[in-house]
Amino acid sequence: MKKVSLLAPGPTPVPSRTLLAMAQPLIHHRSADFLEIFGKVRQGLKKVFQTENEVLTFCSSGTGAMESSVANLLSPGDKAIAIRGGKFGERWTEILKAYGCQPVNLDVPWGQAVKPADVAKLLADDPSIKAVYVQALETSTGVAHPIEELAKVTAKTDAVLVVDAVSALLAYDIPVDKWGLDVVISGSQKAMMLPPGLGFVSIGPKALKLMESSKLPKFYFSWAKELKNQTQNKGAFTSPVTLFMGLLDIFDYIDELGMQNIFAETGLKSKAFKAAMAALGLTLYSKECPSQALTAVEAPAGVDAQAVVKWLKEKYGIFIAGGQDQAKGKIFRVAHMGHISEFDTLQGISAIEMALAGLGYKFEMGAGVAAAQKVFGEAI
Ligand SMILES: *Cc1c(COP(=O)(O)O)cnc(C)c1O
């Protein structure tokens, strides 16, 4: 098998030390040793989420945690705003519909960020709206929505703000309590540097209150049941023992690096990569609020972005992501979050240049790598 390089926005590379931590012999999920691990996981998650709220863990991908935030907050027929600026925003509408709720869709052109005033107007026009569902980072477009401002809007209303931060948490600063974010969702396989398989949900007081009136069906994803158990350092069902061992190692790693340093390094890789794309004459797909967790780039005229993605995968074993739906064939997306180094980033830029040249795009070979090297060099 070719050496695989993961540069897509999930799953991202897992540090070797964390892989070794997950090679420990399995222990029983009801043992005293595991209760201790569970307690440390709860403390570690609170630190990463920067919250005093309980952060529940589910054995699922991020979407399971998203689904739980509909099933546990709403009742049949309830109205909720779904901010749709891309593929993940659309997922909120799909989940709301699947549960028999009424999505109030706030459509944002792909590549743009939601305007908090538009949300304020919808909430003022219809006070029966129970919740606002949004992405911190809309991974399909690379746009970071203004979450802090949205929280100021919802704080003045009865509506609960639910933020999907699966691709954003730990890639840049999202202080949950400081910003007053009611519900924040994340997952293991992006900036958290773990394999896929864990979904996280932090639940604040306003959300806990709404939860009490929720009448939608739930079983595995019941917050009430898990709150009862997880506050006692155990899961209602069999816990993902191995992933928890990895998570403890990740918390140690984060402590060694420092969260602010992680945000700064992610920002530097993003800056270098974006400078490289500009040097190649390429433009960003995110016309507003481009995120530092990943970059969505428009392929040049005459080049199919899917061909770039395929070229990297098949010739070099490098995985980046293409566009979805309306952006398919137009963009490619490269991650800067998690355990991706400066030199992984340079390698990605080099590979993109080779693919673009191979696909007939005319530019000065090496210009992108040089621009990124300049950014990295100046930062040392
Ligand atoms: C990756 C991601 C998810 C979760 O996707 P899963 O495949 O269910 O893990 C949810 N929201 C956003 C914004 C994401 O980037």
Side-chain angles (χ1 to χ4, degrees):
M1 198 167 85
K2 206 178 228 139
K3 180 169 182 284
V4 165
S5 199
L6 297 175
L7 284 180
T12 62
V14 179
S16 306
R17 52 176 282 169
T18 310
L19 292 171
L20 284 172
M22 291 188 292
Q24 295 174 75
L26 201 63
I27 61 171
H28 196 273
H29 66 285
R30 300 294 181 211
S31 64
D33 284 346
F34 190 69
L35 289 193
E36 198 183 319
I37 291 177
F38 210 121
K40 287 183 183 162
V41 162
R42 287 175 56 223
Q43 290 315 311
L45 285 172
K46 286 181 188 196
K47 226 163 148 177
V48 172
F49 278 71
Q50 302 181 60
T51 186
E52 300 287 321
N53 297 335
E54 192 61 32
V55 184
L56 293 180
T57 304
F58 288 102
C59 196
S60 74
S61 80
T63 306
M66 288 172 75
E67 177 164 341
S68 81
S69 74
V70 171
N72 286 277
L73 289 174
L74 303 180
S75 298
D78 271 357
K79 285 188 197 161
I81 295 174
I83 295 172
R84 299 198 303 178
K87 195 74 187 161
F88 289 98
E90 287 172 4
R91 188 167 297 175
W92 284 131
T93 302
E94 288 168 32
I95 299 171
L96 287 164
K97 277 196 192 153
Y99 276 89
C101 299
Q102 292 184 61
V104 178
N105 296 319
L106 176 46
D107 287 326
V108 178
W110 285 35
Q112 294 181 26
V114 69
K115 290 178 185 55
D118 292 348
V119 177
K121 185 166 187 309
L122 282 178
L123 289 174
D125 288 351
D126 189 347
S128 75
I129 292 172
K130 293 276 175 57
V132 176
Y133 289 89
V134 67
Q135 270 64 40
L137 160 55
E138 175 49 79
T139 315
S140 64
T141 66
V143 171
H145 287 302
I147 298 309
E148 187 182 5
E149 285 70 27
L150 284 178
K152 286 179 190 153
V153 168
T154 53
K156 292 186 208 123
T157 71
D158 288 335
V160 165
L161 179 65
V162 181
V163 179
D164 163 7
V166 176
S167 56
L169 200 87
L170 204 57
Y172 53 93
D173 202 14
I174 302 184
V176 171
D177 285 358
K178 192 171 154 205
W179 290 356
L181 307 176
D182 299 316
V183 174
V184 177
I185 290 156
S186 197
S188 51
Q189 82 273 26
K190 299 199 176 160
M192 294 284 275
M193 304 178 274
L194 280 168
L198 296 178
F200 309 113
V201 197
S202 83
I203 309 164
K206 195 172 171 187
L208 286 173
K209 195 151 172 281
L210 184 58
M211 177 187 91
E212 281 165 19
S213 66
S214 163
K215 292 191 177 57
L216 284 176
K218 49 220 158 242
F219 185 76
Y220 179 78
F221 286 111
S222 163
W223 285 359
K225 192 163 51 193
E226 287 298 341
L227 280 167
K228 221 162 92 191
N229 282 275
Q230 296 194 19
T231 49
Q232 305 293 313
N233 294 338
K234 57 193 171 94
F237 307 104
T238 312
S239 296
V241 175
T242 303
L243 284 168
F244 271 30
M245 288 173 173
L247 196 46
L248 284 196
D249 183 68
I250 288 292
F251 293 143
D252 286 344
Y253 191 37
I254 293 170
D255 278 345
E256 287 164 29
L257 296 171
M259 283 221 305
Q260 293 302 326
N261 293 332
I262 294 176
F263 303 149
E265 271 178 34
T266 308
L268 183 65
K269 287 176 274 175
S270 161
K271 187 178 167 199
F273 186 85
K274 286 173 172 69
M277 295 303 110
L280 297 177
L282 306 184
T283 48
L284 300 191
Y285 185 62
S286 333
K287 299 304 171 203
E288 297 172 352
C289 309
S291 164
Q292 69 168 32
L294 69 106
T295 303
V297 186
E298 289 174 335
V303 173
D304 176 5
Q306 282 305 114
V308 176
V309 175
K310 192 165 170 237
W311 190 289
L312 264 62
K313 178 173 71 179
E314 290 180 359
K315 294 196 193 294
Y316 315 134
I318 297 175
F319 286 76
I320 61 171
Q324 296 155 296
D325 294 347
Q326 55 176 278
K328 198 170 172 121
K330 292 186 192 153
I331 66 169
F332 55 86
R333 294 172 297 138
V334 176
H336 317 304
M337 62 182 88
H339 194 60
I340 291 170
S341 75
E342 286 91 334
F343 285 91
D344 295 330
T345 303
L346 286 170
Q347 183 192 57
I349 297 164
S350 166
I352 288 165
E353 289 192 18
M354 288 159 74
L356 289 173
L359 292 164
Y361 179 56
K362 297 279 179 268
F363 64 102
E364 190 194 332
M365 185 70 105
V369 171
Q373 283 174 323
K374 193 159 174 288
V375 173
F376 287 133
E378 282 166 1
I380 292 167

